[in-house]
C-alpha cells in the first residue's frame, strides 16, 4: 500500500467518525430529554454516556485529519500518531464523565426513590440500541476495508453503547414491576462501563505511544522475512506503531561470500516483502555477514 492510498483511507475513516458524531448527538439529546421527562436515572446516565462518545468521536475525527498531514521538518515520519494522541485525550474526558455518572447514580440509589420511570423510556432505549447497532455494522465494515484501528475502536464503542442501551431497558422494565431501585442500580452499571471503556482506550493508546507492539505480529513479520531468498537468519527485529501502520527495524544475516550489491538486493527484497502488507509503513533493514558453513555445522 503506497502513502497516497494510506491518506485516502484516513479520509474514508473520517466518514465513519462523522456518522458516529451525528448519531451520538441525536441519541444523546433524545435520551437526556426523555430521561428527565420520564424520571429514568438509567436513561439519563446512558445519555451522558453518549455525550462523552461525541467527544471521543470528535477526537477520532481530529486525529484522522491531523494524521493526513504530510511529513515536515520536525515530523519526519509524518503525523500518523495524532489519532492515538486524540484517543488518549478522549479517555480522560470519558473517565471524568463516568465518575460523575457514578456519583449521581449512587446518590439516587441511597436516596430511596420509589417512583418507576415512565414506559416511554423503554421504547426510547430500544430505538437507540437499534440505531447504534446499525452504526456499529457500518463502521466495522469500513474499519476492515481500510484497516483502521481508530475506526475499529469507534465500532467497538458503538456496539458497547448498543449493549448499554439494552441494559438500560432491562433496568427500566424491572422498575415497572415493583423494583424502582433497579433503574438507578442500572445507572451505576452504566457509569462503571463508561469508566471501563475509558480505561481500555487509555491502556491501548498508552501502549502504542510507548512503542508497545504485539509479539505475534512481530513473529509473523519474522516468518515473512525468512521466506526471502538469501536471508540466512533474522538476528533482531523490532517494530512500533504509527497510527494504523507499523515501522519495522530488522537485522538479517546473509552469506558472507556475497558481494555488496547482492547483499543490498536481499535487503531491498526484505523491505519490499514487508511493505507489501497493509500493516507496514516503513522498514529499516541492516544486514550482517555470516559464515553459512558454521551455521550448518
Amino acid at each position: 500500500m503506497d502513502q497516497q492510498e494510506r491518506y485516502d483511507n484516513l479520509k474514508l475513516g473520517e466518514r465513519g467518525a462523522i456518522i458516529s458524531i451525528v448519531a451520538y448527538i441525536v441519541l444523546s439529546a433524545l435520551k437526556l430529554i426523555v430521561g428527565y421527562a420520564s424520571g429514568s436515572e438509567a436513561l439519563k446516565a446512558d445519555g451522558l454516556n453518549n455525550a462523552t462518545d461525541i467527544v471521543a468521536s470528535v477526537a477520532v475525527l481530529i486525529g484522522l485529519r491531523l494524521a493526513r498531514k504530510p511529513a515536515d521538518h520536525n515530523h519526519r515520519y509524518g503525523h500518523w500518531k495524532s489519532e492515538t494522541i486524540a484517543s488518549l485525550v478522549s479517555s480522560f474526558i470519558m473517565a471524568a464523565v463516568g465518575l460523575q455518572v457514578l456519583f449521581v447514580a449512587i446518590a439516587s440509589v441511597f436516596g430511596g426513590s420509589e417512583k418507576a420511570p415512565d414506559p416511554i423510556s423503554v421504547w426510547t432505549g430500544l430505538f437507540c440500541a437499534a440505531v447504534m447497532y446499525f452504526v456499529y455494522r457500518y463502521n466495522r465494515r469500513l474499519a476492515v476495508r481500510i484497516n483502521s484501528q481508530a475506526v475499529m475502536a469507534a465500532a467497538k464503542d458503538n456496539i458497547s453503547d448498543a449493549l448499554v442501551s439494552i441494559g438500560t431497558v432491562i433496568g427500566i422494565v424491572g422498575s415497572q414491576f415493583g423494583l424502582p431501585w433497579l433503574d438507578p442500580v442500572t445507572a451505576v452499571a452504566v457509569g462503571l462501563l463508561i469508566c471501563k471503556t475509558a480505561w481500555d482506550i487509555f491502556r491501548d493508546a498508552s501502549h502504542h505511544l510507548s512503542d508497545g507492539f504485539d509479539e505475534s505480529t512481530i513473529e509473523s513479520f519474522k516468518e515473512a522475512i525468512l521466506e526471502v531468498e538469501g536471508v540466512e537468519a533474522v538476528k533482531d527485529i523490532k517494530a512500533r506503531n504509527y497510527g494504523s501502520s507499523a515501522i519495522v527495524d530488522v537485522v538479517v544475516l546473509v552469506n558472507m561470500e556475497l558481494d555488496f550489491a547482492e547483499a543490498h538486493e536481499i535487503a531491498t527484497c526484505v523491505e519490499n516483502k514487508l511493505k507489501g502488507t497493509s500493516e507496514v509503513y516503513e522498514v529499516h533493514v541492516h544486514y550482517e555477514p555470516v559464515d553459512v558453513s558454521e551455521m550448518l555445522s
Side-chain angles (χ1 to χ4, degrees), residues 136-193:
Y136 155 74
R137 291 290 300 273
Y138 176 85
N139 277 338
R140 187 179 185 281
R141 284 197 299 267
L142 180 61
V144 172
R145 174 185 171 188
I146 67 176
N147 188 34
S148 171
Q149 294 179 351
V151 179
M152 182 59 77
K156 291 178 179 178
D157 190 28
N158 297 151
I159 192 61
S160 71
D161 289 325
L163 294 174
V164 167
S165 293
I166 294 297
T168 299
V169 169
I170 292 173
I172 297 172
V173 170
S175 68
Q176 303 295 320
F177 290 91
L179 300 172
W181 52 266
L182 192 57
D183 180 67
V185 166
T186 303
V188 172
V190 171
L192 290 172
L193 185 56

Side-chain angles (χ1 to χ4, degrees), residues 21-39:
I21 291 170
V22 173
Y24 283 135
I25 289 175
V26 174
L27 298 185
S28 176
L30 179 63
K31 289 175 183 178
L32 289 173
I33 292 172
V34 176
Y36 279 104
S38 64

Side-chain angles (χ1 to χ4, degrees), residues 216-228 234 237 273:
S216 62
T217 303
I218 288 184
E219 189 61 30
S220 69
F221 291 161
K222 183 176 180 179
E223 292 173 359
I225 293 170
L226 290 173
E227 293 175 359
V228 176
V234 176
I237 180 170
K273 178 82 171 181

Side-chain angles (χ1 to χ4, degrees), residues 14-286:
E14 293 178 14
R15 185 186 305 169
I18 291 172
I19 290 175
S20 292
I21 291 170
V22 173
Y24 283 135
I25 289 175
V26 174
L27 298 185
S28 176
L30 179 63
K31 289 175 183 178
L32 289 173
I33 292 172
V34 176
Y36 279 104
S38 64
S40 172
E41 293 296 330
L43 197 61
K44 286 188 285 185
D46 196 5
L48 288 174
N49 176 33
N50 287 159
T52 66
D53 292 324
I54 296 172
V55 178
S57 296
V58 169
V60 169
L61 178 61
I62 293 174
L64 288 169
R65 290 192 173 179
L66 288 176
R68 287 170 53 200
K69 292 177 62 177
D72 53 36
H73 69 284
N74 58 356
H75 293 86
R76 298 300 176 90
Y77 286 108
H79 297 77
W80 304 104
K81 285 191 174 182
S82 296
E83 54 181 303
T84 311
I85 295 173
S87 297
L88 189 68
V89 172
S90 68
S91 71
F92 294 138
I93 298 172
M94 292 181 69
V97 175
L99 292 174
Q100 173 65 19
V101 169
L102 278 175
F103 177 79
V104 174
I106 291 174
S108 179
V109 170
F110 289 103
S113 175
E114 299 294 333
K115 183 179 179 182
D118 191 282
I120 191 175
S121 57
V122 174
W123 298 109
T124 302
L126 289 173
F127 170 75
C128 293
V131 171
M132 288 315 307
Y133 176 74
F134 285 110
V135 174
Y136 155 74
R137 291 290 300 273
Y138 176 85
N139 277 338
R140 187 179 185 281
R141 284 197 299 267
L142 180 61
V144 172
R145 174 185 171 188
I146 67 176
N147 188 34
S148 171
Q149 294 179 351
V151 179
M152 182 59 77
K156 291 178 179 178
D157 190 28
N158 297 151
I159 192 61
S160 71
D161 289 325
L163 294 174
V164 167
S165 293
I166 294 297
T168 299
V169 169
I170 292 173
I172 297 172
V173 170
S175 68
Q176 303 295 320
F177 290 91
L179 300 172
W181 52 266
L182 192 57
D183 180 67
V185 166
T186 303
V188 172
V190 171
L192 290 172
L193 185 56
I194 296 173
C195 291
K196 181 185 181 302
T197 302
W199 167 253
D200 290 341
I201 293 174
F202 170 81
R203 181 190 59 200
D204 292 342
S206 60
H207 180 70
H208 283 184
L209 290 173
S210 60
D211 286 344
F213 203 84
D214 181 62
E215 291 184 5
S216 62
T217 303
I218 288 184
E219 189 61 30
S220 69
F221 291 161
K222 183 176 180 179
E223 292 173 359
I225 293 170
L226 290 173
E227 293 175 359
V228 176
E229 185 178 356
V231 173
E232 304 298 338
V234 176
K235 182 178 179 180
D236 187 35
I237 180 170
K238 296 186 290 290
R240 55 194 185 277
N241 289 291
Y242 268 76
S244 297
S245 302
I247 290 182
V248 182
D249 300 297
V250 59
V251 179
V252 297
L253 300 181
V254 298
N255 193 327
M256 62 184 299
E257 296 181 359
L258 297 177
D259 60 31
F260 174 80
E262 291 173 321
H264 183 74
E265 179 62 26
I266 293 173
T268 301
C269 290
V270 169
E271 180 180 347
N272 293 336
K273 178 82 171 181
L274 291 183
K275 290 179 74 172
T277 69
S278 59
E279 297 100 341
V280 179
Y281 170 65
E282 189 62 80
V283 183
H284 302 137
V285 183
H286 175 72

